[in-house]
Structures are given as structure tokens and as C-alpha cells.
Amino acid sequence: MKTHLMAGAAETTITAIKDRPEVYAELYARALVLADGETQLAIVTADFGQFPLQYNTRLLNAIHQTTGIPTEHIVINCSHTHNAPGVDGRWITEESEAWLVTCLAELVQEAIDALEPATFRVGRAPVQIGYNRRLMNDEGYITMAPNPEGAVVPWVDVLGAYDANGQIIAVLFSHAAHPVIVHWSSEEIGADFPGYAVEHLRNFLELKPESVLLFAQGCAANINGYPLRGGFSACDVAGFALAFATHQALKTAEEIPSAPLKACSVLVNLPFQDPPSVEECKQLVDQFPDDERFVALLEVAKSGEKRTLPFPMTAFTVGDALCFLSVAHELFAEYQLFVDETSPFSHTFVFGYTNGSEVYIATKKDYELGLRGGYEAGPRNHALSGPYRLALLPSVEEQIREEMTNLLGRLKAM
């Protein structure tokens, strides 16, 4: 029996919250729902820094309660723009939290209500709007600076969903780079290069009024959009380059055969390294008595408790031709490159910052640098990034690779 695929999309602004800040560009949430008559899968993107795990669970539950879609069939990807709440200590009020929960649930329902028969085309085009940001200095320490020889993901993956008349229902495009080109060159709120890319892409394409363009962030933990803090003009240039590449990918995209939709998810626990000794923590508290993070770190050291990081992963597929692998937290680009090399599916998108993000996840060689590991991988710097966050064990790279391989393998065999 032939499978008939459907797609529906919707978008809404999410800057309309209480005590609205000054903005240079609206923040958006967008939803794309795929359906085959039995299964519905929802991909939500948000111009937001990141959602903590606990709050993301609240979002997933609200979407499920409103739409009936199982939480395992929903992914929420944050663009990680640094000119929005969710990074650098910015967050929203409890009232705004509740508003956003309702907003995203209603958004996905709107996308469901818009479902219509669809065909899908998938393409890829080369583009690089950022650089690896980890450079070793002469003393052997990692510094944050452009590293032309470091790992990047030099392409954009693109999905086009078309209606029965060949018009665009939605375009989903994904690239890996920190949206930090405006970052701190302006204190106003905005979407950084993903927002500029969407606006430029609108000019390249023939769209229906209800067509939706969604950007999904890849594994960008060690990639900065270039130039860092370059300002609005530089951000516009980067957005144009990404939009142009997306347009080129759509021109050469191949149609995906209709096939049943499948989903599979797993929750992995990643072990942290041990905290500093109690004595070292006490010295830090004495040195920085007003820093609550060191107080919390001292309590961890006293407890002797082994901490682990919840690491959810979800994968959606359309038959054997198309896969979306979504992972939580900020993963180094090397993980996306690994999936691209090893995935058993013809086309595989990899989304980072999805269904919760709280810490960096580096590679074995980076963790093994210890105190020389820099902002993303050094244990003491990680201790500064949250109430108890330490660097993960170097063994997590092998663990994650194995879990990724197993997840995609199970999905392929379903």
C-alpha cells in the first residue's frame, strides 16, 4: 500500500513577551509537521539561545497535550542566537515562560491544521559562514580565535516541502555556526544571521503567503559565525551567503520517495569528571566568596556524588532516504562530521541544541588537554558555566558515537 505524505507549517513571533525588549529583528518560532496518515512528526525551531532540559520537557509535554503527538515525535531546536534570551545569563520571566509554553503548543497545532499532501526534495550545497574558534597558542593553551585548520561543517542541508501544485509549503535549512556576528555589537534582541538568511531567502524564492522558512542549528559548539561581533552589515552578508547556498541546494534537490515515517529516541547518561578536591573548592570559595557557583561546587565535592549529564537523542526518518538526527546540548562539529560519514541513510540532517541544552560536549582529545582545554573543554571553565558543571570524561566521545550508530541502526531496521 502506497504511503501518502503530508506537510503543514506555521510560524509566530516570540518577541511579544511581557516587558518586551528593544529589538533589531523579531524572534520567531516555526513548526513543520510531517505526517503519513498514521504518524505525525513535529520539528520546531526557535530564535532563542537555548532551553534548559527541564524547561524543554515542559514545552514537549504542552505540545503533546495540545496536539496528541507523542513527545518522542517532537524536537525543538534553538538557533542559539546570542542576541536572545537563553545565553549570557539572559532569561525570561515566569509569566513569559508560561506564555511561550502555550505559544509553541498552539503553533504546532496550527501546523497540524495546515497539513496537506506534499512531496519532499532534499539537497545540499557548500557554504561556510564561520570558522572553528579553538586555536592553540604558543604556550599550548586553547584560546578563542579563528582556526582555519579546525573542524567545520562546510555545507547547508535543505528540505523543501511542496504542495500538489508545486508551490512551497516550507523550506527547512540547517547549518552549523554560532550566531554571534551581532553578539554584543548591539544590546538589542534579534536572530543574528539565521534571521537575515530567512529574509534573503524570501527574496530568492516564489512563496505562498503561508509558506514557512525554518532554520535549524547544527553542531556548532566550536564554530563561530564570522566575524565575531562584526555587527549588522557583516551579519547581513553572512545571511545572504547562507540564503544563496540554500537556494542553490533547492535547485539541485532530489525528490524523496514516499515512505512511512519512523521515529526512535534514546536517553544517554554521560559521566562528568570528578570535581576539584574539597580543599581546592574551599580555596575557590575563599577567593570568590560572592560566587554561588563555587559554593555549589564545594557541595558537590563534599557529597562525593558521581554526576552524569542527561543526553537525549531523537531521530526521524522518511523511509531509507531521509533522516533527521537531533541531539541535545552544544556538540563539537566533529560529531556531525562523524554522522555524515557513517549514517546508513541517503541524506542525514544533524541538529544540535535540540530538546534541551546546558553544556558543551567536546571530543576526547580536547578533554585530555585538561586545564589547557579552553572555554569549552577545560574543567575549571566548565565549573564556571553552571551550578555544578564540570568537564565530561574523555570517554564520552566513544560513548556518543556508539549511541549515535546504534540509534540510526535501530531506526534503519524498523
Side-chain angles (χ1 to χ4, degrees):
M1 182 176 177
K2 185 177 180 180
T3 300
H4 297 282
L5 295 176
M6 304 180 74
E11 67 179 3
T12 186
T13 58
I14 56 174
T15 36
I17 59 178
K18 184 175 175 63
D19 300 323
R20 176 187 171 93
E22 293 298 319
V23 301
Y24 66 81
E26 297 287 358
L27 304 179
Y28 281 85
R30 299 176 170 101
L32 173 63
V33 173
L34 312 180
D36 64 5
E38 295 184 2
T39 301
Q40 293 180 342
L41 306 175
I43 298 172
V44 179
T45 65
D47 294 326
F48 214 87
Q50 57 195 29
F51 294 137
L53 291 168
Q54 185 174 1
Y55 183 64
N56 197 89
T57 298
R58 186 177 167 190
L59 294 171
L60 293 174
N61 288 337
I63 293 171
H64 165 65
Q65 290 167 7
T66 298
T67 67
I69 300 178
T71 56
E72 297 83 4
H73 291 190
I74 307 164
V75 294
I76 304 172
N77 174 273
C78 288
S79 70
H80 201 54
T81 173
H82 278 229
N83 281 83
V87 290
D88 296 333
R90 300 190 195 95
W91 190 240
I92 52 179
T93 64
E94 290 186 10
E95 182 178 348
S96 294
E97 283 185 5
W99 175 85
L100 188 57
V101 168
T102 301
C103 179
L104 293 192
E106 292 176 347
L107 176 70
V108 176
Q109 184 60 58
E110 186 178 345
I112 293 172
D113 294 341
L115 282 168
E116 59 182 309
T119 57
F120 300 118
R121 294 183 176 273
V122 177
R124 173 179 287 184
V127 67
Q128 182 181 344
I129 64 166
Y131 283 95
N132 188 288
R133 71 187 201 180
R134 290 173 55 79
L135 185 68
M136 184 172 287
N137 64 19
D138 293 339
E139 288 74 38
Y141 285 81
I142 295 295
T143 59
M144 188 178 290
N147 177 7
E149 298 180 359
V152 293
V153 182
W155 64 73
V156 58
D157 284 314
V158 182
L159 169 71
Y162 299 85
D163 67 16
N165 297 317
Q167 293 185 292
I168 291 174
I169 299 171
V171 174
L172 172 64
F173 63 107
S174 181
H175 184 62
H178 259 71
V180 290
I181 300 178
V182 174
H183 180 43
W184 291 133
S185 66
S186 171
E187 294 185 1
E188 294 177 297
I189 297 298
D192 209 270
F193 74 78
Y196 281 92
V198 166
E199 293 308 311
H200 282 300
L201 191 56
R202 290 189 186 280
N203 295 326
F204 285 130
L205 301 174
E206 294 184 8
L207 299 172
K208 304 187 291 185
E210 63 270 27
S211 299
V212 177
L213 308 178
L214 309 88
F215 170 82
Q217 184 61 262
C219 295
N222 53 347
I223 305 173
N224 270 350
Y226 184 83
L228 174 65
R229 305 185 186 94
F232 295 117
S233 296
C235 199
D236 185 51
V237 170
F240 182 89
L242 183 56
F244 182 81
T246 300
H247 187 221
Q248 295 303 111
L250 284 172
K251 286 183 176 180
T252 58
E254 62 180 56
E255 185 170 335
I256 297 299
S258 293
L261 303 177
K262 297 180 289 185
C264 191
S265 61
V266 63
L267 178 61
V268 182
N269 289 309
L270 304 177
F272 284 106
Q273 297 179 22
D274 291 332
S277 68
V278 171
E279 190 58 38
E280 287 176 305
C281 290
K282 287 181 178 178
Q283 291 174 3
L284 289 170
V285 171
D286 290 341
Q287 187 176 357
F288 304 99
D290 297 327
D291 196 323
E292 295 180 358
R293 294 168 295 184
F294 289 125
V295 175
L297 191 63
L298 174 59
E299 294 306 310
V300 173
K302 288 180 177 178
S303 73
E305 179 184 352
K306 296 291 186 181
R307 299 271 178 153
T308 59
L309 174 71
F311 179 59
M313 296 193 298
T314 299
F316 299 158
T317 64
V318 182
D320 293 333
L322 175 60
C323 176
F324 301 97
L325 174 63
S326 298
V327 296
H329 305 299
E330 294 195 61
L331 268 70
F332 275 29
E334 285 87 343
Y335 290 98
Q336 185 164 351
L337 298 174
F338 169 76
V339 173
D340 190 68
E341 293 175 0
T342 61
S343 173
F345 297 92
S346 302
H347 304 274
T348 304
F349 290 59
V350 183
F351 303 153
Y353 307 89
T354 304
N355 285 354
S357 179
E358 295 181 356
V359 301
Y360 290 102
I361 297 180
T363 63
K364 181 175 185 287
K365 66 179 179 62
D366 294 291
Y367 285 129
E368 288 178 341
L369 290 172
L371 294 176
R372 297 181 292 118
Y375 175 68
E376 303 91 351
R380 293 193 189 278
N381 284 324
H382 254 272
L384 290 171
S385 67
Y388 61 84
R389 296 307 183 196
L390 303 162
L392 295 163
L393 287 174
S395 60
V396 299
E397 178 179 3
E398 182 179 355
Q399 183 182 1
I400 291 171
R401 285 185 172 208
E402 183 178 351
E403 293 288 355
M404 286 175 162
T405 300
N406 290 341
L407 177 62
L408 296 183
R410 290 200 301 273
L411 200 53
K412 177 81 171 178
M414 287 174 62

